Coordinates of all heavy atoms in Angstrom, one line a residue:
I1 N -9.8 -7.8 17.8 CA -10.2 -9.0 17.1 C -9.5 -9.0 15.7 O -9.0 -10.0 15.2 CB -11.7 -9.2 17.0 CG1 -12.3 -9.3 18.4 CG2 -12.1 -10.4 16.2 CD1 -11.9 -10.5 19.2
E2 N -9.6 -7.9 15.0 CA -9.0 -7.8 13.7 C -7.5 -8.1 13.7 O -7.1 -8.9 12.8 CB -9.2 -6.4 13.1 CG -10.6 -6.0 12.7 CD -10.7 -4.6 12.2 OE1 -9.9 -3.8 12.5 OE2 -11.7 -4.4 11.5
E3 N -6.8 -7.6 14.6 CA -5.4 -7.9 14.7 C -5.1 -9.4 15.0 O -4.2 -9.9 14.4 CB -4.7 -7.0 15.7 CG -4.6 -5.6 15.3 CD -4.0 -5.4 14.0 OE1 -2.9 -5.9 13.7 OE2 -4.6 -4.7 13.1
I4 N -5.9 -10.0 15.8 CA -5.7 -11.4 16.1 C -5.9 -12.2 14.8 O -5.1 -13.1 14.5 CB -6.6 -11.9 17.2 CG1 -6.2 -11.3 18.5 CG2 -6.6 -13.4 17.3 CD1 -7.2 -11.4 19.7
Y5 N -6.9 -11.9 14.1 CA -7.2 -12.6 12.8 C -6.2 -12.3 11.7 O -5.5 -13.2 11.2 CB -8.6 -12.3 12.3 CG -8.8 -13.0 11.0 CD1 -8.9 -14.4 10.9 CD2 -8.9 -12.3 9.8 CE1 -9.1 -15.0 9.7 CE2 -9.1 -12.9 8.6 CZ -9.2 -14.3 8.5 OH -9.3 -14.9 7.3
F6 N -6.0 -11.0 11.4 CA -5.2 -10.6 10.3 C -3.7 -10.7 10.5 O -3.0 -11.2 9.7 CB -5.5 -9.2 9.8 CG -6.8 -9.1 9.0 CD1 -7.9 -8.6 9.6 CD2 -6.8 -9.4 7.7 CE1 -9.1 -8.6 8.9 CE2 -8.0 -9.4 6.9 CZ -9.1 -9.0 7.5
R7 N -3.2 -10.2 11.6 CA -1.8 -10.3 11.9 C -1.4 -11.5 12.8 O -0.2 -11.9 12.7 CB -1.3 -9.0 12.6 CG -0.7 -8.0 11.6 CD -1.6 -7.5 10.5 NE -2.7 -6.7 10.9 CZ -3.6 -6.2 10.1 NH1 -3.6 -6.5 8.8 NH2 -4.6 -5.4 10.6
G8 N -2.3 -12.0 13.5 CA -2.0 -13.2 14.4 C -2.1 -14.5 13.7 O -1.4 -15.4 14.0
I9 N -3.1 -14.6 12.8 CA -3.4 -15.9 12.2 C -3.1 -15.9 10.7 O -2.3 -16.7 10.2 CB -4.8 -16.3 12.4 CG1 -5.1 -16.5 13.9 CG2 -5.2 -17.6 11.6 CD1 -6.6 -16.7 14.3
L10 N -3.8 -14.9 10.0 CA -3.7 -14.9 8.5 C -2.3 -14.6 8.0 O -1.8 -15.3 7.1 CB -4.7 -14.0 7.9 CG -4.9 -14.0 6.4 CD1 -5.3 -15.4 5.9 CD2 -6.0 -13.0 6.0
Y11 N -1.7 -13.5 8.5 CA -0.4 -13.1 8.0 C 0.7 -14.2 8.1 O 1.3 -14.5 7.2 CB 0.1 -11.8 8.7 CG 1.5 -11.5 8.4 CD1 1.9 -11.0 7.2 CD2 2.5 -11.7 9.3 CE1 3.2 -10.7 6.9 CE2 3.8 -11.4 9.1 CZ 4.2 -11.0 7.8 OH 5.5 -10.7 7.5
P12 N 0.8 -14.8 9.3 CA 1.9 -15.9 9.4 C 1.6 -17.1 8.5 O 2.5 -17.6 7.9 CB 1.8 -16.3 10.9 CG 1.2 -15.2 11.6 CD 0.2 -14.5 10.6
Y13 N 0.3 -17.4 8.3 CA 0.0 -18.5 7.4 C 0.4 -18.2 6.0 O 1.0 -19.0 5.3 CB -1.5 -18.8 7.5 CG -2.0 -19.9 6.6 CD1 -1.8 -21.2 6.9 CD2 -2.6 -19.6 5.4 CE1 -2.2 -22.2 6.1 CE2 -3.0 -20.6 4.5 CZ -2.8 -21.9 4.8 OH -3.2 -22.9 4.0
V14 N 0.0 -17.0 5.5 CA 0.3 -16.6 4.1 C 1.8 -16.4 3.9 O 2.4 -16.8 2.9 CB -0.5 -15.3 3.7 CG1 0.0 -14.8 2.3 CG2 -2.0 -15.5 3.8
R15 N 2.5 -15.9 4.9 CA 3.9 -15.7 4.9 C 4.7 -17.0 4.7 O 5.7 -17.0 4.0 CB 4.4 -15.0 6.2 CG 5.8 -14.7 6.2 CD 6.2 -14.1 7.6 NE 7.6 -13.8 7.7 CZ 8.5 -14.6 8.1 NH1 8.2 -15.8 8.6 NH2 9.8 -14.3 8.1
K16 N 4.2 -18.1 5.2 CA 4.9 -19.4 5.0 C 4.9 -19.8 3.5 O 5.9 -20.4 3.1 CB 4.1 -20.5 5.7 CG 4.4 -20.6 7.2 CD 3.9 -21.9 7.8 CE 2.4 -22.0 7.7 NZ 1.9 -23.2 8.4
Y17 N 4.0 -19.3 2.8 CA 3.9 -19.7 1.4 C 4.5 -18.7 0.4 O 4.9 -19.1 -0.7 CB 2.4 -20.1 1.0 CG 1.9 -21.2 1.8 CD1 1.2 -21.0 2.9 CD2 2.3 -22.5 1.5 CE1 0.7 -22.1 3.7 CE2 1.9 -23.6 2.2 CZ 1.1 -23.4 3.3 OH 0.7 -24.4 4.1
V18 N 4.4 -17.4 0.7 CA 4.8 -16.4 -0.3 C 5.9 -15.4 0.2 O 6.3 -14.6 -0.6 CB 3.6 -15.6 -0.8 CG1 2.6 -16.5 -1.5 CG2 2.9 -14.8 0.3
G19 N 6.2 -15.5 1.5 CA 7.2 -14.6 2.0 C 6.6 -13.4 2.7 O 5.4 -13.2 2.6
A20 N 7.4 -12.6 3.4 CA 6.9 -11.5 4.2 C 6.3 -10.4 3.4 O 5.2 -9.9 3.8 CB 8.1 -11.0 5.1
I21 N 7.0 -9.9 2.4 CA 6.4 -8.7 1.7 C 5.1 -9.0 1.0 O 4.2 -8.3 1.1 CB 7.5 -8.1 0.7 CG1 8.7 -7.6 1.5 CG2 6.9 -7.0 -0.1 CD1 8.5 -6.6 2.6
P22 N 5.1 -10.1 0.2 CA 3.8 -10.4 -0.5 C 2.7 -10.7 0.5 O 1.5 -10.3 0.3 CB 4.1 -11.6 -1.3 CG 5.6 -11.6 -1.6 CD 6.1 -11.0 -0.3
A23 N 3.0 -11.3 1.6 CA 2.0 -11.6 2.6 C 1.5 -10.3 3.3 O 0.3 -10.2 3.6 CB 2.6 -12.6 3.7
A24 N 2.4 -9.4 3.5 CA 2.0 -8.1 4.1 C 1.1 -7.3 3.2 O 0.1 -6.8 3.6 CB 3.3 -7.3 4.5
L25 N 1.4 -7.3 1.9 CA 0.6 -6.6 0.9 C -0.7 -7.3 0.7 O -1.8 -6.6 0.7 CB 1.3 -6.6 -0.4 CG 2.6 -5.7 -0.5 CD1 3.4 -5.9 -1.7 CD2 2.2 -4.2 -0.3
A26 N -0.7 -8.6 0.7 CA -2.0 -9.4 0.5 C -2.9 -9.2 1.7 O -4.1 -8.9 1.5 CB -1.7 -10.8 0.2
T27 N -2.4 -9.4 2.9 CA -3.2 -9.3 4.0 C -3.7 -7.8 4.3 O -4.7 -7.6 4.8 CB -2.6 -9.9 5.3 OG1 -1.3 -9.3 5.6 CG2 -2.4 -11.4 5.1
G28 N -2.8 -6.9 3.9 CA -3.2 -5.5 4.0 C -4.4 -5.2 3.1 O -5.3 -4.5 3.4
A29 N -4.3 -5.7 1.8 CA -5.4 -5.5 0.9 C -6.7 -6.2 1.4 O -7.8 -5.7 1.3 CB -5.1 -6.0 -0.5
L30 N -6.6 -7.4 2.0 CA -7.8 -8.1 2.5 C -8.3 -7.3 3.7 O -9.6 -7.3 3.8 CB -7.4 -9.5 2.9 CG -7.2 -10.5 1.8 CD1 -6.6 -11.8 2.3 CD2 -8.5 -10.7 1.1
F31 N -7.5 -6.8 4.5 CA -7.9 -5.9 5.6 C -8.7 -4.8 5.1 O -9.8 -4.5 5.7 CB -6.6 -5.5 6.4 CG -6.9 -4.5 7.5 CD1 -7.4 -4.8 8.7 CD2 -6.5 -3.1 7.3 CE1 -7.6 -3.9 9.7 CE2 -6.7 -2.2 8.3 CZ -7.3 -2.6 9.5
A32 N -8.2 -4.1 4.1 CA -9.0 -3.0 3.5 C -10.3 -3.4 2.9 O -11.3 -2.8 3.1 CB -8.1 -2.3 2.4
A33 N -10.3 -4.5 2.2 CA -11.5 -5.0 1.5 C -12.6 -5.4 2.6 O -13.8 -5.1 2.4 CB -11.2 -6.2 0.7
M34 N -12.1 -5.9 3.7 CA -13.1 -6.3 4.7 C -13.8 -5.1 5.3 O -15.0 -5.2 5.7 CB -12.3 -7.0 5.9 CG -13.1 -7.5 7.0 SD -13.4 -6.5 8.4 CE -11.9 -5.8 8.8
H35 N -13.2 -3.9 5.2 CA -13.9 -2.7 5.7 C -14.9 -2.1 4.7 O -15.7 -1.2 5.1 CB -12.8 -1.6 6.0 CG -12.1 -1.9 7.3 ND1 -11.0 -2.7 7.3 CD2 -12.3 -1.5 8.6 CE1 -10.6 -2.7 8.6 NE2 -11.4 -2.0 9.4
Q36 N -15.0 -2.7 3.5 CA -16.0 -2.3 2.5 C -16.2 -0.8 2.3 O -17.3 -0.3 2.3 CB -17.3 -3.0 2.9 CG -17.3 -4.5 3.0 CD -18.6 -5.1 3.4 OE1 -19.5 -4.4 3.7 NE2 -18.6 -6.4 3.3
S37 N -15.1 -0.1 2.2 CA -15.1 1.3 1.9 C -14.2 1.6 0.7 O -13.0 1.8 0.9 CB -14.6 2.1 3.1 OG -14.6 3.4 2.9
P38 N -14.8 1.7 -0.5 CA -13.9 2.0 -1.7 C -13.1 3.3 -1.5 O -12.0 3.3 -2.0 CB -14.9 2.1 -2.8 CG -16.1 1.2 -2.4 CD -16.2 1.4 -0.9
A39 N -13.7 4.3 -0.9 CA -13.0 5.5 -0.7 C -11.8 5.4 0.2 O -10.8 6.2 0.0 CB -14.0 6.6 -0.2
Q40 N -11.8 4.5 1.1 CA -10.7 4.3 2.0 C -9.8 3.1 1.7 O -8.9 2.8 2.5 CB -11.2 4.2 3.4 CG -11.9 5.4 3.9 CD -12.5 5.2 5.3 OE1 -12.9 4.1 5.7 NE2 -12.4 6.2 6.1
F41 N -10.0 2.4 0.6 CA -9.3 1.2 0.3 C -7.8 1.4 0.3 O -7.1 0.6 0.9 CB -9.8 0.6 -1.1 CG -9.1 -0.7 -1.4 CD1 -9.6 -1.9 -0.8 CD2 -8.0 -0.8 -2.2 CE1 -9.0 -3.1 -1.0 CE2 -7.4 -2.0 -2.4 CZ -7.9 -3.2 -1.8
L42 N -7.3 2.4 -0.4 CA -5.9 2.6 -0.5 C -5.3 2.9 0.9 O -4.3 2.2 1.3 CB -5.5 3.7 -1.5 CG -4.0 3.9 -1.7 CD1 -3.3 2.7 -2.1 CD2 -3.8 5.1 -2.6
A43 N -5.9 3.8 1.6 CA -5.3 4.1 2.9 C -5.4 2.9 3.9 O -4.4 2.7 4.6 CB -6.1 5.3 3.5
L44 N -6.5 2.1 3.8 CA -6.6 1.0 4.7 C -5.6 -0.1 4.3 O -5.1 -0.9 5.1 CB -8.0 0.5 4.7 CG -9.0 1.4 5.5 CD1 -10.4 0.9 5.3 CD2 -8.6 1.4 7.0
T45 N -5.3 -0.2 3.0 CA -4.3 -1.2 2.5 C -2.9 -0.8 3.0 O -2.2 -1.7 3.5 CB -4.3 -1.3 1.0 OG1 -5.6 -1.7 0.5 CG2 -3.2 -2.2 0.5
V46 N -2.6 0.5 3.0 CA -1.3 0.9 3.5 C -1.3 0.6 5.0 O -0.3 0.1 5.5 CB -1.1 2.4 3.2 CG1 0.1 3.0 4.0 CG2 -0.9 2.6 1.7
L47 N -2.4 1.0 5.7 CA -2.4 0.7 7.2 C -2.2 -0.8 7.5 O -1.4 -1.2 8.3 CB -3.7 1.2 7.8 CG -3.9 0.9 9.3 CD1 -2.8 1.6 10.1 CD2 -5.3 1.3 9.8
G48 N -3.0 -1.6 6.8 CA -2.9 -3.1 7.0 C -1.5 -3.6 6.7 O -1.0 -4.5 7.4
T49 N -0.9 -3.1 5.6 CA 0.5 -3.5 5.3 C 1.4 -3.1 6.3 O 2.3 -3.9 6.8 CB 0.8 -3.0 3.9 OG1 -0.1 -3.4 2.9 CG2 2.2 -3.4 3.5
Y50 N 1.3 -1.9 6.8 CA 2.2 -1.3 7.8 C 2.0 -2.1 9.1 O 3.0 -2.5 9.8 CB 1.8 0.1 8.1 CG 2.7 0.8 9.2 CD1 4.0 0.9 9.1 CD2 2.0 1.3 10.3 CE1 4.8 1.5 10.1 CE2 2.8 1.9 11.3 CZ 4.1 2.0 11.2 OH 4.9 2.6 12.2
L51 N 0.8 -2.5 9.5 CA 0.6 -3.3 10.7 C 1.3 -4.7 10.5 O 1.8 -5.2 11.5 CB -0.9 -3.5 11.0 CG -1.6 -2.2 11.4 CD1 -3.1 -2.3 11.4 CD2 -1.1 -1.7 12.8
A52 N 1.2 -5.3 9.3 CA 1.9 -6.5 9.1 C 3.4 -6.4 9.2 O 4.1 -7.3 9.8 CB 1.5 -7.1 7.7
I53 N 4.0 -5.3 8.7 CA 5.4 -5.0 8.9 C 5.8 -4.8 10.3 O 6.8 -5.4 10.8 CB 5.8 -3.7 8.0 CG1 5.7 -4.0 6.5 CG2 7.2 -3.3 8.4 CD1 5.7 -2.8 5.6
I54 N 4.9 -4.2 11.1 CA 5.2 -4.0 12.5 C 5.1 -5.4 13.2 O 6.0 -5.7 14.0 CB 4.1 -3.1 13.2 CG1 4.3 -1.7 12.7 CG2 4.2 -3.2 14.7 CD1 3.2 -0.7 13.1
R55 N 4.2 -6.2 12.8 CA 4.1 -7.6 13.3 C 5.4 -8.4 13.0 O 5.9 -9.1 13.9 CB 2.9 -8.3 12.6 CG 2.8 -9.8 12.6 CD 2.7 -10.3 14.0 NE 2.3 -11.7 14.0 CZ 3.2 -12.7 14.2 NH1 4.5 -12.5 14.2 NH2 2.8 -14.0 14.2
E56 N 5.9 -8.2 11.8 CA 7.1 -9.0 11.4 C 8.3 -8.5 12.2 O 9.1 -9.3 12.7 CB 7.3 -8.7 9.9 CG 8.5 -9.5 9.3 CD 8.4 -11.0 9.3 OE1 7.3 -11.5 9.2 OE2 9.4 -11.6 9.4
S57 N 8.4 -7.2 12.3 CA 9.6 -6.6 13.0 C 9.6 -6.8 14.5 O 10.6 -6.9 15.1 CB 9.8 -5.2 12.6 OG 8.7 -4.4 13.1
S58 N 8.4 -6.8 15.1 CA 8.3 -6.9 16.5 C 8.2 -8.4 17.0 O 8.4 -8.7 18.2 CB 7.0 -6.2 17.1 OG 5.8 -6.8 16.7
G59 N 7.8 -9.3 16.1 CA 7.7 -10.7 16.4 C 6.4 -11.1 17.2 O 6.3 -12.2 17.6
G60 N 5.5 -10.2 17.3 CA 4.2 -10.5 18.0 C 3.1 -9.5 17.5 O 3.3 -8.7 16.7
I61 N 2.0 -9.7 18.1 CA 0.8 -8.8 17.7 C 0.5 -7.7 18.7 O -0.4 -6.9 18.5 CB -0.4 -9.7 17.4 CG1 -0.9 -10.4 18.6 CG2 -0.2 -10.6 16.2 CD1 -2.3 -11.0 18.4
R62 N 1.2 -7.7 19.8 CA 1.0 -6.6 20.8 C 1.1 -5.2 20.2 O 0.2 -4.4 20.3 CB 1.9 -6.8 22.0 CG 1.5 -5.8 23.1 CD 2.3 -6.0 24.3 NE 2.0 -7.3 24.9 CZ 2.7 -7.9 25.8 NH1 3.8 -7.4 26.3 NH2 2.4 -9.1 26.2
L63 N 2.2 -5.0 19.5 CA 2.5 -3.6 19.0 C 1.5 -3.3 17.9 O 1.0 -2.2 17.8 CB 3.9 -3.5 18.5 CG 4.4 -2.1 18.1 CD1 4.1 -1.1 19.2 CD2 5.9 -2.1 17.8
P64 N 1.2 -4.2 16.9 CA 0.2 -3.9 15.9 C -1.2 -3.6 16.6 O -1.9 -2.7 16.1 CB 0.1 -5.1 15.0 CG 1.4 -5.8 15.2 CD 1.9 -5.5 16.6
I65 N -1.5 -4.3 17.6 CA -2.8 -4.0 18.3 C -2.8 -2.6 18.9 O -3.8 -1.8 18.7 CB -3.0 -5.0 19.5 CG1 -3.4 -6.4 18.9 CG2 -4.1 -4.5 20.4 CD1 -3.5 -7.5 19.9
I66 N -1.7 -2.1 19.5 CA -1.6 -0.8 20.0 C -1.7 0.2 18.9 O -2.4 1.2 19.0 CB -0.3 -0.6 20.8 CG1 -0.3 -1.5 22.1 CG2 0.0 0.8 21.2 CD1 1.0 -1.7 22.8
V67 N -0.9 0.0 17.8 CA -0.9 1.0 16.7 C -2.3 1.1 16.1 O -2.8 2.2 15.8 CB 0.1 0.6 15.6 CG1 0.0 1.5 14.4 CG2 1.5 0.8 16.2
H68 N -3.0 0.0 15.9 CA -4.3 -0.1 15.4 C -5.3 0.7 16.3 O -6.1 1.5 15.8 CB -4.8 -1.5 15.2 CG -6.0 -1.7 14.4 ND1 -6.3 -2.9 13.8 CD2 -7.1 -0.9 14.2 CE1 -7.5 -2.8 13.1 NE2 -8.0 -1.6 13.4
A69 N -5.2 0.5 17.6 CA -6.0 1.2 18.6 C -5.8 2.7 18.5 O -6.7 3.5 18.6 CB -5.8 0.7 20.0
V70 N -4.5 3.1 18.4 CA -4.2 4.5 18.3 C -4.8 5.1 17.0 O -5.4 6.2 17.0 CB -2.7 4.8 18.4 CG1 -2.3 6.2 18.1 CG2 -2.2 4.4 19.8
N71 N -4.7 4.4 15.9 CA -5.2 4.9 14.7 C -6.8 5.0 14.8 O -7.3 6.0 14.4 CB -4.9 3.9 13.5 CG -5.5 4.3 12.2 OD1 -5.1 5.2 11.6 ND2 -6.6 3.6 11.9
N72 N -7.4 4.0 15.4 CA -8.9 4.1 15.5 C -9.3 5.3 16.4 O -10.2 6.0 16.2 CB -9.4 2.8 16.0 CG -9.4 1.7 15.0 OD1 -9.2 2.0 13.8 ND2 -9.8 0.5 15.4
A73 N -8.5 5.5 17.5 CA -8.8 6.6 18.4 C -8.6 7.9 17.7 O -9.4 8.9 17.9 CB -7.9 6.5 19.7
A74 N -7.6 8.1 16.9 CA -7.3 9.3 16.2 C -8.5 9.6 15.2 O -9.0 10.7 15.1 CB -6.0 9.3 15.5
A75 N -8.9 8.5 14.5 CA -10.0 8.7 13.5 C -11.3 9.1 14.2 O -12.0 9.9 13.8 CB -10.2 7.4 12.7
L76 N -11.6 8.4 15.4 CA -12.7 8.8 16.1 C -12.7 10.2 16.6 O -13.7 10.9 16.6 CB -12.9 7.8 17.3 CG -14.2 7.9 18.1 CD1 -15.4 7.8 17.3 CD2 -14.2 6.9 19.3
G77 N -11.5 10.6 17.1 CA -11.3 12.0 17.6 C -11.5 13.0 16.5 O -12.2 14.0 16.7
M78 N -11.0 12.7 15.3 CA -11.2 13.6 14.2 C -12.7 13.7 13.8 O -13.2 14.8 13.5 CB -10.3 13.2 13.0 CG -8.9 13.5 13.2 SD -7.8 13.2 11.8 CE -7.9 11.5 11.6
L79 N -13.4 12.6 13.8 CA -14.8 12.5 13.4 C -15.6 13.3 14.5 O -16.4 14.1 14.1 CB -15.3 11.1 13.4 CG -16.8 10.9 13.1 CD1 -17.1 11.4 11.7 CD2 -17.1 9.4 13.2
W80 N -15.3 13.1 15.7 CA -16.0 13.8 16.8 C -15.7 15.3 16.7 O -16.7 16.1 16.8 CB -15.4 13.2 18.1 CG -16.2 13.7 19.3 CD1 -17.6 13.9 19.4 CD2 -15.7 13.9 20.6 NE1 -17.9 14.2 20.7 CE2 -16.8 14.3 21.5 CE3 -14.4 13.8 21.2 CZ2 -16.6 14.6 22.8 CZ3 -14.3 14.2 22.5 CH2 -15.4 14.5 23.3
H81 N -14.5 15.7 16.5 CA -14.2 17.1 16.3 C -14.8 17.7 15.1 O -15.3 18.9 15.2 CB -12.6 17.3 16.3 CG -12.2 18.7 16.1 ND1 -12.3 19.6 17.2 CD2 -11.7 19.4 15.1 CE1 -11.9 20.8 16.8 NE2 -11.5 20.7 15.5
S82 N -14.9 17.0 14.0 CA -15.5 17.6 12.8 C -17.0 17.8 12.9 O -17.6 18.6 12.2 CB -15.2 16.7 11.6 OG -16.0 15.5 11.6
R83 N -17.6 17.1 13.9 CA -19.1 17.2 14.1 C -19.4 18.2 15.2 O -20.5 18.4 15.6 CB -19.6 15.9 14.5 CG -19.5 14.9 13.3 CD -20.4 13.7 13.4 NE -20.2 12.9 12.2 CZ -20.9 11.8 12.0 NH1 -21.8 11.4 12.9 NH2 -20.7 11.2 10.9
G84 N -18.3 18.9 15.6 CA -18.6 20.0 16.6 C -18.7 19.7 18.0 O -19.0 20.5 18.8
A85 N -18.4 18.4 18.3 CA -18.4 18.0 19.8 C -17.2 18.4 20.5 O -16.1 18.5 19.9 CB -18.6 16.5 19.8
S86 N -17.3 18.7 21.7 CA -16.1 19.1 22.5 C -16.0 18.3 23.7 O -16.9 17.9 24.3 CB -16.3 20.6 23.0 OG -16.4 21.4 21.9

């Protein structure tokens, strides 16, 4: 759902008015702000910007969806591992 909104709808809309790089940075920052985690704001801004760049280079949202899912799976795996689950 996040990718459909941020990279499928919001990014192309903002891009029309400010260009690809500012739109990627702005939607990346909004993506981070939406997660409401000050400690992760910079990392999430980078991720959101990277996902917008992938969206721009691939021409669609399929690849950003995959990258986002892999990122979430890795984060979940690290969390699970850090809590001693096997």
Side-chain angles (χ1 to χ4, degrees):
I1 299 298
E2 288 176 341
E3 287 310 306
I4 291 169
Y5 177 70
F6 282 100
R7 264 58 71 183
I9 298 168
L10 188 60
Y11 170 75
Y13 178 79
V14 174
R15 183 181 179 269
K16 280 194 297 188
Y17 297 100
V18 299
I21 298 299
L25 293 168
T27 59
L30 286 172
F31 172 77
M34 185 268 315
H35 285 85
Q36 299 180 352
S37 175
Q40 295 178 326
F41 184 81
L42 181 58
L44 288 169
T45 298
V46 170
L47 175 63
T49 301
Y50 179 62
L51 291 168
I53 292 167
I54 293 171
R55 160 68 167 94
E56 182 69 28
S57 65
S58 70
I61 63 167
R62 184 176 299 167
L63 189 54
I65 288 171
I66 292 167
V67 171
H68 192 155
V70 168
N71 178 76
N72 287 353
L76 184 59
M78 287 187 291
L79 179 64
W80 190 34
H81 180 71
S82 73
R83 294 195 178 186
S86 301

